[in-house]
Each structure stands twice: as structure tokens, then as C-alpha cells.
Amino acid sequence: MKLFDYRFFSHSKIVSGSCALESIPAELESYDARKPLVITGKDITRRGLEKKLIKSFYDSGFPLGGIYDEVRDYAGIGLAQEAAHLFRERGCDSLISLGGGPVMDTARAVNILVSDASNDPFRFFDGTPLDIKMKPLALIPTCCSGGLEAGNIITLDNRQFQSDSLYPDVIILDKRMTPACSSRCAAESAVLAMDNAISALLDNKSNPMNDAFIHASLQFISQNLAKSMRRPKNKKISLNMANAGVMAGIAASNAGPGLVRLLSEELSRSTGLSRGVFTAMLLPAALVYRDQKSGSSDDSLLLALKGMDVFSGTPESKRSSRGIESALDLMGMTKKLIPETLAALNIPYYKLEDAAEKAAARSRKNFSSEDCLSVMGLSRQKRK
């Protein structure tokens, strides 16, 4: 048996099922917390999801400290400071993030502000270890996941850092909360989860513990992606996809950031378009490019997507290519909902080149700006 040297960490307790919301008071009480502040956004309150959360607290005897719903598509220090002021004013002792993406980033920023005496979260972005005792934080994923809510990364005012103190303490997956608002939303959330899982699988830090999360995530996606886009409001299907997203996010936090994630983040910042759009465009090209560049066989993707029966029934020499084909087939399901090429978005070349250079700089030499340009189907000569 092969001996592995690896590190894996997953702090969060996951509660998934029909009545998962009702378990929140007991989970918070286990941290000696009884008055949470809910962080969410207007798009979520317009759908009435906060009312379902409030109702789930009826029998607990615990009050909600308040609901801050000013988060939109961007997590900034101003919003975090407003919410932190409300947290202190209401005497809250814990946080609930009702939603992911910027909502969870804002909740993490609030947690730093109310837990740290310095009141300066950006000192941690500059390298100071986040070694303070944080307030209990529960995450309730809803539709339009950002992909990394379940992990240990925060993005605030376009600055990012990673710390194991940023994991949510509890993740609540409830089918009343997970249905997508549209097929497009379901598709974007799915491709973000796919990228997190596949990047972690192909990362040099891959290990047996992380692979368990990755394989389960990709199997959920493989079995539910097409159905989730046809029936985005189906509770059972959306809960399966939410579980896939959470597992992929945890796996991604235990691996290095991949080319697609870093490049899509930079493109999203420079254009204002969602990261899911760019991920859907770039992930197929990145898989093919990686295979061509490495020149080596990797059969792990086929096993993760298709399971042992298909894997064992495929000739060893064809497993790598069959795995890529399977991933491309999955991604192909989203083509009718998400633009297929960067050319369709009419993004100026200088923005694409700038994104490539910034993504390469953040990769710590794991890939170059030329790699990014190649995945985008571009070259520096096109500028001339």
C-alpha cells in the first residue's frame, strides 16, 4: 500500500436534509451562542427565504438579533462595517450567512471585525496570521453559489486571503433554500463546483481524504447537472447540487488555486461579469490544454466522473482521454445557457492580457501568462 504524506483540514459540520434549518439553534447553542445576526442580500429577501429561516426559529425560544440584507454582488469593507455596527448594537453573539458569494465574504469580514480588537481586517490580508477566536458562523447556501463559501477564503474589496479560521462552523443544506432562481443560475453554480473539484483532483496536493470529497462531488454533478438545468426549482435535485458545491469548495480549500479559478476571478473583476460565465468558457479549454502540455496520462478524472465500473471497463491507454471527454460532455450541457467563447463578449484585448498576467502572478509560478492566453485562445502576437 502506498504511503502518503499530506495535510487535509475540514472544520465545518455539515447538516443536510429536509429539516436542516430547524437544527440551527441547537448547533449555535453548542457554541454557547443564542442571538445570531443574519447576513444576506436583497435578491434573497425578495424570494422570501429569510422568512423560512425566521420560521425555523419559532420553537427554539432564541431570537434572531437582526437581518442585514444590503449585500449585492460585491463584498466591501463599508458593508461589513455597517453590519458589524448592527451586530454590536443588537448584542449579537454569532452570525448566519444566508447565501454565498459576496454574502459569505461579507459575513466573514463582519466576523473578523467583531472578533478582533484592532477593527482592521486588512492587516490579515497583508500577512498577519488570523489567530483570533472567531464568533460562531453558520452558512446556509442558496442558489447562485460562488463556489468557495464552504472553504477558507475571503474576498473583500477585491483583495483575498486564506485562513483555516475562516471555515464556517456549521453548513446547513436545506431543500427549502437550495432551488435555483433560473436555469442559468443552476448552470453557473454547477460549473464553479466542477472547476473546484477538477482543479483539486488534478492538483499536486491531491490526497486520499481530498479525493473522497472530490469524487462524491463530481458524481453528484454528473448525475444531476442536466436535471438541475431543466428543473432548477426542484428541491431534491438542487439539494444534491448544493451538496456537490460544498464538497468541491472544501476540496478546493485543501488544494492550490487552479488556472481557471484565478483567471476567471481576474476577468470577473475587470469586466463585472460573473465568474461562472468565464469558468464555463475556460474549463474545457484548460482541460485540453493541460493534457496536451503535460503529455502524461491521468486516469483519475474518469474514475471520479464515471465510477469504477466504467473505469475498469476502459482500456488503460484510453482512460485519460475518456475522462476528459466525459468532463467536456458535462460542460457541453451548459452551452445553451452560457456564451461559449470570449469573442462573444467583446472584451478588449488589453483586459484579457492584463487578467492573464495577474492570474499568473497569483499562481506562484504554477503557470505563466502565456498559459492563460493559450487557454483563452489568444497569443501576444494578436496584439500587434
Side-chain angles (χ1 to χ4, degrees):
M1 184 175 180
K2 186 176 179 181
L3 182 65
F4 290 91
D5 294 324
Y6 66 89
R7 294 182 180 182
F8 176 85
F9 182 72
S10 177
H11 168 73
S12 307
K13 179 177 182 179
I14 300 172
V15 182
S16 176
S18 301
C19 298
L21 284 177
E22 280 72 18
S23 70
I24 296 176
E27 295 298 338
L28 292 178
E29 189 175 22
S30 69
Y31 290 92
D32 197 28
R34 295 173 178 81
K35 193 175 183 181
L37 175 68
V38 179
I39 307 294
T40 190
K42 295 292 188 185
D43 57 330
I44 294 173
T45 55
R46 277 196 295 269
R47 296 172 61 203
L49 296 186
E50 87 289 357
K51 295 177 182 177
K52 297 178 181 180
L53 175 60
I54 293 170
K55 187 176 180 180
S56 71
F57 270 71
Y58 280 176
D59 295 331
S60 70
F62 292 173
L64 286 175
I67 296 177
Y68 181 84
D69 65 352
E70 296 299 323
V71 185
R72 290 178 173 80
D73 57 356
Y74 177 79
I77 185 62
L79 293 178
Q81 288 172 334
E82 283 184 2
H85 176 74
L86 181 62
F87 182 99
R88 297 186 185 101
E89 188 178 65
R90 298 286 180 87
C92 297
D93 55 16
S94 52
L95 289 154
I96 296 175
S97 174
L98 179 55
V103 171
M104 186 57 173
D105 284 329
T106 303
R108 286 184 170 121
V110 173
N111 204 355
I112 295 173
L113 286 167
V114 299
S115 303
D116 178 44
S118 73
N119 204 37
D120 177 21
F122 288 115
R123 70 190 184 97
F124 301 110
F125 288 75
D126 297 329
T128 301
L130 185 60
D131 53 5
I132 58 178
K133 181 175 175 56
M134 304 283 279
K135 304 293 184 184
L137 171 61
L139 165 66
I140 307 173
T142 59
C143 71
C144 301
S145 164
L148 296 172
E149 296 86 356
N152 60 354
I153 298 169
I154 180 175
T155 302
L156 185 68
D157 283 331
N158 288 332
R159 298 178 66 184
Q160 190 175 88
F161 87 96
Q162 186 169 4
S163 169
D164 286 342
S165 296
L166 294 172
Y167 278 104
D169 296 292
V170 184
I171 300 173
I172 302 295
L173 295 165
D174 192 296
K175 64 182 183 181
R176 289 168 287 182
M177 297 294 188
T178 55
C181 53
S182 66
S183 295
R184 170 71 173 264
C185 172
E188 289 193 28
S189 296
V191 297
L192 289 169
M194 275 193 71
D195 178 51
N196 284 334
I198 291 174
S199 295
L201 181 69
L202 302 179
D203 183 75
N204 292 330
K205 297 178 183 178
S206 182
N207 61 68
M209 292 297 295
N210 223 26
D211 287 351
F213 280 74
I214 293 165
H215 283 234
S217 174
L218 289 176
Q219 286 168 23
F220 269 120
I221 294 170
S222 180
Q223 295 165 6
N224 292 278
L225 175 58
K227 291 183 286 187
S228 72
M229 292 186 294
R230 288 196 303 268
R231 302 165 64 191
K233 298 188 184 300
N234 182 277
K235 292 181 178 180
K236 181 178 179 180
I237 296 169
S238 65
L239 183 61
N240 288 340
M241 292 301 290
N243 272 276
V246 164
M247 289 184 283
I250 292 171
S253 293
N254 281 277
L259 182 152
V260 174
R261 191 189 104 195
L262 294 181
L263 186 54
S264 63
E265 284 177 349
E266 295 300 336
L267 288 169
S268 178
R269 285 171 187 157
S270 65
T271 64
L273 298 173
S274 72
R275 191 163 67 87
V277 169
F278 294 110
T279 300
M281 294 177 182
L282 298 174
L283 182 55
L287 284 172
V288 174
Y289 178 74
R290 182 185 184 277
D291 184 60
Q292 294 173 343
K293 185 179 180 182
S294 67
S296 60
S297 177
D298 190 331
D299 56 15
S300 57
L301 188 55
L302 177 63
L303 179 61
L305 285 172
K306 293 298 184 179
M308 182 55 71
D309 289 345
V310 173
F311 179 84
S312 59
T314 303
E316 187 174 351
S317 61
K318 296 183 179 180
R319 288 173 179 170
S320 179
S321 59
R322 179 78 185 276
I324 293 175
E325 289 171 5
S326 299
L328 295 179
D329 287 343
L330 267 180
M331 295 297 301
M333 297 178 184
T334 69
K335 287 183 178 179
K336 293 182 179 180
L337 299 171
I338 303 175
E340 294 184 45
T341 65
L342 287 172
L345 300 179
N346 296 316
I347 301 171
Y349 181 87
Y350 77 89
K351 287 191 175 183
L352 301 177
E353 186 177 48
D354 182 61
E357 291 174 351
K358 289 179 177 177
R362 291 175 58 198
S363 77
R364 299 178 182 177
K365 299 183 179 180
N366 287 329
F367 51 84
S368 67
S369 59
E370 294 295 340
D371 291 328
C372 294
L373 289 171
S374 296
V375 167
M376 290 190 287
L378 304 169
S379 66
R380 295 194 187 279
Q381 286 72 28
K382 288 192 176 184
R383 190 178 183 181
K384 298 177 181 179

